[in-house]
Amino acid sequence: MDVSKIILGTGSYSTVLSGNTVSITGDGGNAWGYYGPAYKKLSPRLVTDTSYAKKYEELLKLKKDAL
């Protein structure tokens, strides 16, 4: 096994500036100025994002009502 290819951690485009990196965003990180290797199959899908966004809106409403 080649240990140089093992993912040791995660980070954001602003904090991970070098090393053995790979993007898992839908555009491969291009919107953030990242042009390295990408694995787009791991990126969240709109179907997933939509359901989480709706639940988040519900939580914000519940928080507002509680206050």
Side-chain angles (χ1 to χ4, degrees), residues 27-63:
D27 73 342
N30 296 344
W32 293 272
Y34 177 83
Y35 297 101
Y39 192 70
K40 297 177 184 179
K41 289 183 179 183
L42 290 176
S43 66
R45 303 287 183 255
L46 180 59
V47 175
T48 305
D49 289 346
T50 303
S51 62
Y52 280 106
K54 288 180 182 178
K55 295 296 183 185
Y56 181 69
E57 289 175 10
E58 289 178 30
L59 287 173
L60 290 177
K61 183 179 177 194
L62 289 171
K63 181 180 177 183

Side-chain angles (χ1 to χ4, degrees), residues 4-30:
S4 66
K5 297 185 185 208
I6 295 174
I7 297 173
L8 298 176
T10 61
S12 69
Y13 293 105
S14 63
T15 60
V16 179
L17 302 176
S18 65
N20 188 11
T21 61
V22 63
S23 172
I24 60 168
T25 59
D27 73 342
N30 296 344

